[in-house]
Amino acid sequence: MDDDPKTTTRLSTDLDHDLKLGREFVELDEKSLRVLRDDTPIEEIQLNDIKKASVEEGIGIARLVIERTNGSVSDVAFFTKKKLKPFRSLTNVINSHMVASAPPILDEDEKPSKYNRGSTLRWLLEFMRPYRRKLLLGILFSVLLAGFNLVPPYLLQILIDSVLIASKPAPGLFVYLTLVLLVSFAIITVLTVLQGYFLNTLGQKVVNNLRGSVYEHAISLPTSFIERMTTGRILSRLTTDVGNTQWLMVWGLPTLTVNILTLIGIGVILFFLDTGLAVFVLVPVPFIIYALIRYRKGSFMVYHRNWRRSADVTAMITDTVPAYQVVKSFVREDREAGRLGENLDKLYNAQVDAVKMNLYYWPALGFLTSLATIAIWWVGGNQVLVGKIQLGIVTAFVAYLALFYTPINNLSNIVPFIQQGITSGDRLREIIDAKPEVQSKPGALKPKDLGGDIFFDKVTFGYEPYNPVIKDFVLKIPRGQRIAIVGRSGSGKTSISRLLMRFYDVDRGAIWIDNIDLRDIDLDYLRSKIAYVLQDVVLFDNTVAYNVIYGVSNPKETMVGPLDVLHACKAAGIHKEIMALQLAYDTNLGEKGSSLSGARGRDYHLQGP
């Protein structure tokens, strides 16, 4: 039996003990904490000897500090501030003395994808099921188009050998070949139009439906998921990733299929024309297959890193532009431009890595295919000179050779984008597959009168494991009583309201309304009965009337009309000010109510008939 303790957490640093850029690893198991460099332990501390673990921040550099039971203190790891979060979680686990049951802690940039390429492709194909007929038609037209493109070189071989250099050409053969060529080009034109129509219209349909599905699921995700991922990264998935995935499914995979079939078809024709010359065509193929396998293995992490850097840029822009008034008030335009510049530099470096990888593989493969062409010229030309084969065969061979390596070049161009599309599919799948952590129970209650006493019964809650924000919190609010909760920043005031709305569930204890556990009440019903006003005013880029009735579940079914909106605003004392606006209740408030003062925006945010 293996008695070795199981490693529960492995974190990497980005600084070594000499405070130079480098990587060391901190491992935690049920018995000890270890620091490794190149998989060689440089320090090991038994958990029984640790009194306290903490993270101390400096200017740009932080360190993991361990205080032992004998009173000694040591710095065991050093890292930059981007590593603060995982190492703080590590100290919480150590100090909780619950290492064995703690969930693993992973660096955000080093979290492996929980999906493999095959499963993601199957998932995307399942998503394409409603459009399979149109997709199959598009692929059929693409295959027929590739097939008819193989006709002209064969006609050229017949023209040279049986018409141009033949001593007695068959009567009418030249006219016949010309008509066949004309019909072939006409069919190619029609197939090109049909292929473009079916695949382009399908692409627009897929991208709109996929974006709608991701958006619908994203807004229903738990608060913790959205806060952990950030809205900027979600927006990146709704825009860039959806576009990449749409290209993959509508153009990438069909193009891949057509090019592979073209390679097979040309290979059969080449062996039919001349087996000896065809062998030279196959010489580079093993090297090409080997390079494609190597590329596939190495490209995943490169394009994954590229996506993360792109998402970081999107997230920063999304975070900064709406807060432009704060940026201007603190005169931080240059600072924000500098931050964006740093993120763009990181994105550029990631893109350069992808370019270098592509340049490492594909030009060399192109040179190999050129050598094969030279071999055909040399061997075929000599055989024509000695009369072993006809000139038309060599001419057709050279033409087919260009067509043979064109799909290989196409593969070299589309494989990077296919890999990028699969990576984007992983990102979309992560959202679609995410399950809400807070849900209504089967048969959840919908009490008619949900306005009784509210009781927080020894509630403990934390956003991170073993780091509670609220601990054994007790509060009773009698029906009809108005209270204010006062405390220092970070003491849990906002968390109390979030728990009442069930944006999160308590870790321990319970919240009761009318002696009913909050978790037994239907979630949508509960939230529809609570007016939740944020510290930051949230108004939608729509009319005054739209924002006033936003909290009503279904205005048409509940018969909420213009008079109800007027009564609500008159009761709030803001009707006259609304009527003074340019279009009164039809006035568009702008993004986040930018056309209103903060106080007035809060008044509109509060209303609801």
Side-chain angles (χ1 to χ4, degrees):
M1 182 176 178
D2 188 5
D3 293 330
D4 291 338
K6 180 182 178 181
T7 299
T8 61
T9 289
R10 178 181 170 95
L11 296 179
S12 65
T13 69
D14 47 10
L15 298 173
D16 60 22
H17 270 64
D18 298 324
L19 299 183
K20 296 180 180 178
L21 290 175
R23 175 177 286 195
E24 295 178 349
F25 292 93
V26 178
E27 290 186 349
L28 177 68
D29 58 38
E30 300 171 13
K31 294 183 178 180
S32 65
L33 177 75
R34 293 180 302 280
V35 181
L36 302 91
R37 180 186 298 164
D38 298 327
D39 292 328
T40 302
I42 59 177
E43 188 168 2
E44 184 170 3
I45 306 172
Q46 298 299 313
L47 291 186
N48 292 335
D49 296 332
I50 297 178
K51 180 180 179 181
K52 182 182 178 182
S54 61
V55 170
E56 294 186 2
E57 294 184 52
I59 301 177
I61 294 177
R63 54 187 177 174
L64 176 62
V65 180
I66 299 298
E67 180 182 350
R68 291 176 169 84
T69 53
N70 61 11
S72 62
V73 179
S74 59
D75 302 333
V76 299
F78 299 88
F79 42 89
T80 60
K81 290 193 173 183
K82 70 177 183 179
K83 297 276 186 178
L84 277 174
K85 184 175 180 179
F87 276 95
R88 279 178 175 159
S89 299
L90 178 68
T91 60
N92 291 334
V93 172
I94 295 173
N95 294 331
S96 69
H97 304 292
M98 299 177 67
V99 176
S101 60
I105 304 168
L106 295 174
D107 290 330
E108 183 66 24
D109 287 339
E110 296 178 3
K111 287 183 180 179
S113 173
K114 58 184 178 181
Y115 308 114
N116 58 59
R117 284 181 283 266
S119 66
T120 297
L121 280 175
R122 287 192 296 272
W123 179 80
L124 288 171
L125 288 172
E126 185 66 26
F127 189 87
M128 292 287 294
R129 183 181 292 274
Y131 321 104
R132 61 183 181 275
R133 291 184 180 179
K134 206 167 187 179
L135 179 62
L136 288 175
L137 278 174
I139 294 175
L140 175 63
F141 291 136
S142 299
V143 172
L144 292 174
L145 183 61
F148 276 96
N149 278 321
L150 301 181
V151 172
Y154 184 71
L155 296 179
L156 178 63
Q157 181 255 324
I158 298 175
L159 176 67
I160 293 174
D161 291 340
S162 301
V163 176
L164 299 182
I165 63 174
S167 57
K168 292 183 178 180
L173 181 59
F174 180 66
V175 175
Y176 174 76
L177 291 175
T178 303
L179 290 175
V180 171
L181 185 63
L182 176 63
V183 172
S184 298
F185 281 130
I187 293 175
I188 288 172
T189 301
V190 173
L191 289 174
T192 300
V193 173
L194 291 173
Q195 178 208 41
Y197 172 78
F198 274 90
L199 291 183
N200 279 303
T201 55
L202 175 62
Q204 295 305 317
K205 185 71 173 177
V206 169
V207 73
N208 289 337
N209 287 356
L210 183 59
R211 186 169 288 142
S213 297
V214 174
Y215 174 78
E216 181 180 354
H217 198 78
I219 59 177
S220 68
L221 288 174
T223 306
S224 58
F225 185 93
I226 296 174
E227 290 179 345
R228 182 174 66 250
M229 181 174 288
T230 74
T231 54
R233 290 195 171 187
I234 292 177
L235 286 174
S236 176
R237 299 187 188 205
L238 285 168
T239 52
T240 305
D241 287 331
V242 168
N244 290 342
T245 304
Q246 175 252 342
W247 179 90
L248 168 70
M249 300 307 299
V250 177
W251 288 103
L253 293 181
T255 302
L256 179 67
T257 303
V258 169
N259 279 280
I260 291 175
L261 292 176
T262 302
L263 281 174
I264 295 173
I266 294 176
V268 171
I269 293 174
L270 291 178
F271 274 93
F272 173 75
L273 289 175
D274 190 281
T275 305
L277 288 179
V279 171
F280 288 97
V281 178
L282 298 179
V283 171
V285 172
F287 298 98
I288 293 171
I289 294 174
Y290 173 75
L292 288 174
I293 294 173
R294 286 285 304 273
Y295 178 87
R296 182 184 176 190
K297 290 181 178 179
S299 62
F300 177 76
M301 288 304 299
V302 171
Y303 281 100
H304 186 78
R305 190 183 308 115
N306 202 329
W307 173 85
R308 283 198 173 277
R309 298 295 176 250
S310 176
D312 288 341
V313 170
T314 303
M316 182 187 168
I317 293 173
T318 306
D319 188 45
T320 307
V321 172
Y324 69 93
Q325 294 182 359
V326 177
V327 175
K328 288 182 174 295
S329 65
F330 286 97
V331 197
R332 288 294 182 268
E333 293 92 339
D334 292 340
R335 178 180 175 181
E336 294 302 329
R339 285 180 59 214
L340 179 61
E342 291 176 2
N343 283 331
L344 289 173
D345 287 341
K346 292 178 181 178
L347 174 59
Y348 171 77
N349 292 332
Q351 292 169 333
V352 168
D353 288 341
V355 170
K356 288 180 178 177
M357 183 179 61
N358 291 329
L359 292 177
Y360 178 79
Y361 284 98
W362 307 124
L365 294 180
F367 180 70
L368 281 176
T369 59
S370 300
L371 292 179
T373 303
I374 293 172
I376 297 296
W377 279 28
W378 178 258
V379 176
N382 281 309
Q383 289 185 354
V384 170
L385 292 176
V386 298
K388 287 187 176 181
I389 59 175
Q390 293 177 309
L391 176 62
I393 291 178
V394 175
T395 305
F397 225 97
V398 173
Y400 276 123
L401 196 62
L403 292 177
F404 182 79
Y405 290 123
T406 296
I408 295 178
N409 290 330
N410 290 340
L411 290 174
S412 70
N413 290 325
I414 68 172
V415 166
F417 295 105
I418 287 176
Q419 181 60 68
Q420 191 174 24
I422 294 173
T423 302
S424 292
D426 284 342
R427 308 275 66 80
L428 297 178
R429 190 179 177 187
E430 186 178 353
I431 291 181
I432 295 292
D433 288 353
K435 303 297 182 185
E437 299 167 3
V438 178
Q439 301 184 63
S440 296
K441 292 181 178 180
L445 304 175
K446 295 183 179 180
K448 291 183 178 180
D449 182 17
L450 193 65
D453 297 347
I454 301 174
F455 180 42
F456 286 79
D457 184 9
K458 295 182 179 179
V459 169
T460 297
F461 167 75
Y463 296 100
E464 296 180 12
Y466 312 106
N467 187 22
V469 177
I470 301 171
K471 189 172 183 180
D472 294 329
F473 177 73
V474 177
L475 174 66
K476 185 172 184 180
I477 308 173
R479 180 188 181 106
Q481 187 177 40
R482 182 179 300 174
I483 70 165
I485 300 175
V486 181
R488 61 179 176 79
S489 178
S491 61
K493 303 183 299 297
T494 302
S495 299
I496 293 171
S497 62
R498 288 182 168 188
L499 291 174
L500 187 61
M501 293 289 296
R502 276 200 76 196
F503 291 153
Y504 298 87
D505 271 336
V506 300
D507 295 331
R508 293 197 302 273
I511 303 175
W512 305 83
I513 299 181
D514 278 341
N515 294 319
I516 303 174
D517 191 323
L518 207 64
R519 291 165 290 196
D520 294 332
I521 302 174
D522 181 82
L523 188 59
D524 292 340
Y525 179 79
L526 170 71
R527 291 175 180 171
S528 69
K529 298 298 181 181
I530 300 175
Y532 185 61
V533 183
L534 301 171
Q535 290 175 323
D536 297 325
V537 175
V538 178
L539 291 171
F540 295 98
D541 189 4
N542 211 306
T543 64
V544 173
Y546 175 87
N547 280 275
V548 169
I549 65 173
Y550 186 78
V552 179
S553 299
N554 194 326
K556 292 183 179 179
E557 290 184 3
T558 52
M559 304 299 291
V560 174
L563 288 178
D564 298 300
V565 176
L566 289 173
H567 290 321
C569 293
K570 285 183 177 180
I574 58 175
H575 171 70
K576 290 184 178 180
E577 293 194 19
I578 294 175
M579 294 304 296
L581 296 175
Q582 187 175 11
L583 297 175
Y585 285 86
D586 291 325
T587 302
N588 193 294
L589 297 180
E591 185 180 8
K592 295 187 178 181
S594 58
S595 63
L596 301 173
S597 67
R600 273 295 156 233
R602 198 167 289 110
D603 286 340
Y604 295 177
H605 178 67
L606 276 164
Q607 300 318 307

